[in-house]
C-alpha cells in the first residue's frame, strides 16, 4: 500500500508551531531528509473534539506514509494528546505495523523528573491538551510523586501567528495565564510550554514567571528523544534517507504559509499545497 523504499522523516502539525520542533530536530540531526506537513487550513485543533482531531491527524499521517515516510513525528501537542494513541493502537497494526508515529508529550514528560525540585509542575497549553490531561497521565505514570497543574491559553497561538509576540497585548495575556497557573499551585517550580507555538513567547513568559521557576520548551527534548530512538532502532534508522533536505507542505495557501513560517524559521522556504481531506477515506 505504501512505498517500501527508505524515505524522509515526516513531521506533522495542525498549524505552524511544529516548525519549532522541526527546527530543533534538524539542528540535532541534520543528516536526515524531512518533510513537514501543516494542516493550516483546518487549524487550530485545540478546541476540536477528540474524534475530529483523530480523523484529521490520521489523514495527515497516511499522506506522509504515502510519500514514503516510515517514521512520523506529531509535532503538535493537541494531536499527540487526542490522536496518537488511537493511531498507534487502531491504525498502525492494520495499515502497516512496521511504520511508527511518535508524539511530543512523552519525551517532555520523561525529562520532567530531573527538572523539578519541588515536584510541582505547571502546564501551559491549548484547551484540548489541558482537557485531555495527557501531561498529567504521562508525568504521573513516570513520576507518581509529581503534582501537575494545567491552564489553557487559548489566544497565545493566535498572538504568535499574528506576529505580535513582542506587543503589550501579548504581555497582558501571558501574564494573565501565568498568574492563573501560579494561583492554582504556588509551589510550581517548573512550567512546561505544552504547545509548540509558545517558545516564540519565551521572552514574555520568563518575564512573568516567579523568580527561580524554570520554563521548559519542548523542541530540544523531542530532538534528543528522536536521536536516542533512532540509535536504539537500527531497523528504522535504515529506512530514513540521508540527504539533509526538507520539504514543506501545507493545506492552506502557499503564500500564507511562507509568510507565517518566516516568523518561526527566520528564512524563506519553498512550500507546496496539498489536499489531505480525502486521505484514508473509502
Amino acid at each position: 500500500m505504501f512505498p517500501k523504499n527508505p524515505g524522509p522523516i515526516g513531521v506533522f502539525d495542525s498549524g505552524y508551531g511544529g516548525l519549532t520542533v522541526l527546527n530543533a530536530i534538524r539542528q540535532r540531526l541534520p543528516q536526515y531528509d524531512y518533510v513537514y506537513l501543516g494542516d493550516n487550513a483546518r487549524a487550530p485543533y485545540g478546541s476540536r473534539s477528540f474524534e475530529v482531531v483523530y480523523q484529521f491527524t490520521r489523514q495527515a499521517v497516511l499522506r506522509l506514509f504515502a510519500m514514503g515516510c516510515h517514521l512520523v513525528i506529531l509535532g503538535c501537542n493537541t494531536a499527540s494528546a487526542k490522536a496518537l494513541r488511537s493511531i498507534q493502537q487502531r491504525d498502525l497494526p492494520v495499515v502497516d505495523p512496521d511504520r511508527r508515529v511518535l508524539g511530543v508529550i512523552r519525551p517532555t514528560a520523561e525529562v520532567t523528573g530531573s527538572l523539578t525540585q519541588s515536584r510541582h509542575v505547571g502546564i501551559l497549553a491549548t484547551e484540548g491538551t489541558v482537557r485531555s490531561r495527557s501531561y498529567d497521565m504521562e508525568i504521573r505514570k513516570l513520576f507518581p510523586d509529581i503534582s501537575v497543574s494545567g491552564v489553557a491559553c487559548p489566544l497565545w497561538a493566535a498572538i504568535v501567528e499574528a506576529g505580535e509576540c513582542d506587543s503589550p497585548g501579548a504581555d497582558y495575556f501571558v501574564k494573565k495565564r501565568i498568574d492563573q497557573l501560579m494561583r492554582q499551585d504556588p509551589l510550581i517550580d517548573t512550567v512546561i510550554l505544552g504547545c509548540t507555538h509558545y517558545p516564540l513567547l519565551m521572552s514574555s513568559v520568563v518575564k512573568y514567571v516567579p523568580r527561580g521557576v524554570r520554563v521548559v520548551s519542548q523542541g530540544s527534548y523531542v530532538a534528543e528523544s528522536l536521536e536516542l530512538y533512532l540509535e536504539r532502532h537500527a531497523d528504522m534508522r535504515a529506512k530514513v534517507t540521508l540527504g539533509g533536505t526538507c520539504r514543506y507542505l501545507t493545506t492552506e495557501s502557499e503564500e500564507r504559509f511562507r509568510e507565517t513560517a518566516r516568523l518561526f524559521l527566520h528564512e524563506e522556504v519553498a512550500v507546496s499545497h496539498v489536499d489531505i481531506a480525502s486521505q484514508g477515506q473509502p
Side-chain angles (χ1 to χ4, degrees):
M1 179 180 179
F2 300 115
K4 297 297 184 183
N5 293 337
I9 295 173
V11 179
F12 168 70
D13 186 19
S14 57
Y16 297 93
L19 292 170
T20 63
V21 172
L22 173 67
N23 197 38
I25 290 173
R26 292 190 69 199
Q27 286 182 11
R28 192 172 188 102
L29 300 167
Q31 68 271 34
Y32 297 117
D33 291 317
Y34 299 89
V35 55
Y36 180 88
L37 171 55
D39 190 12
N40 311 97
R42 300 187 294 191
Y45 281 13
S47 59
R48 293 186 183 273
S49 69
F50 272 74
E51 183 59 28
V52 168
V53 171
Y54 161 66
Q55 291 295 344
F56 286 1
T57 304
R58 180 179 183 273
Q59 290 168 358
V61 167
L62 292 179
R63 173 54 62 96
L64 289 168
F65 283 174
M67 295 180 64
C69 298
H70 294 264
L71 174 63
V72 173
I73 310 298
L74 301 186
C76 172
N77 282 272
T78 302
S80 297
K82 293 185 173 183
L84 177 60
R85 183 164 298 181
S86 294
I87 288 172
Q88 289 175 332
Q89 296 179 354
R90 189 189 310 178
D91 294 302
L92 291 184
V94 176
V95 301
D96 192 331
D98 294 325
R99 294 180 193 257
R100 293 291 179 266
V101 181
L102 307 175
V104 293
I105 293 177
R106 177 77 181 196
T108 312
E110 287 174 344
V111 301
T112 303
S114 64
L115 299 176
T116 174
Q117 298 297 315
S118 69
R119 317 309 281 176
H120 290 254
V121 171
I123 310 294
L124 296 170
T126 65
E127 178 186 355
T129 299
V130 172
R131 283 191 175 183
S132 74
R133 302 186 69 84
S134 294
Y135 273 99
D136 308 46
M137 291 185 288
E138 288 293 339
I139 291 174
R140 286 173 177 161
K141 192 187 305 178
L142 298 166
F143 309 103
D145 62 318
I146 293 180
S147 174
V148 182
S149 302
V151 165
C153 309
L155 295 177
W156 285 22
I159 290 170
V160 170
E161 292 192 10
E164 297 291 331
C165 293
D166 299 319
S167 69
D171 275 9
Y172 170 81
F173 287 111
V174 167
K175 183 179 187 302
K176 180 178 181 180
R177 297 308 178 188
I178 290 174
D179 288 350
Q180 182 181 346
L181 180 64
M182 298 310 298
R183 283 196 300 270
Q184 274 193 33
D185 184 356
L187 296 179
I188 288 171
D189 72 346
T190 302
V191 173
I192 295 172
L193 301 182
C195 172
T196 49
H197 281 74
Y198 297 176
L200 274 72
L201 290 165
M202 182 66 81
S203 61
S204 291
V205 174
V206 298
K207 192 188 308 181
Y208 294 112
V209 294
R211 183 183 298 273
V213 172
R214 181 196 296 261
V215 180
V216 178
S217 179
Q218 297 176 291
S220 62
Y221 298 112
V222 174
E224 181 180 6
S225 178
L226 176 59
E227 182 179 40
L228 293 172
Y229 178 86
L230 290 171
E231 287 176 358
R232 292 194 307 267
H233 297 86
D235 56 334
M236 181 58 70
R237 192 169 68 247
K239 295 176 183 177
V240 181
T241 50
L242 295 162
T245 66
C246 186
R247 294 179 60 195
Y248 297 89
L249 304 172
T250 179
T251 58
E252 243 283 10
S253 78
E254 297 168 1
E255 181 180 0
R256 162 72 171 154
F257 184 92
R258 281 193 296 268
E259 291 175 356
T260 307
R262 193 183 305 123
L263 298 172
F264 291 82
L265 301 175
H266 307 294
E267 64 177 358
E268 296 287 339
V269 298
V271 59
S272 301
H273 178 268
V274 63
D275 177 18
I276 64 172
S278 61
Q279 192 75 34
Q281 300 299 318

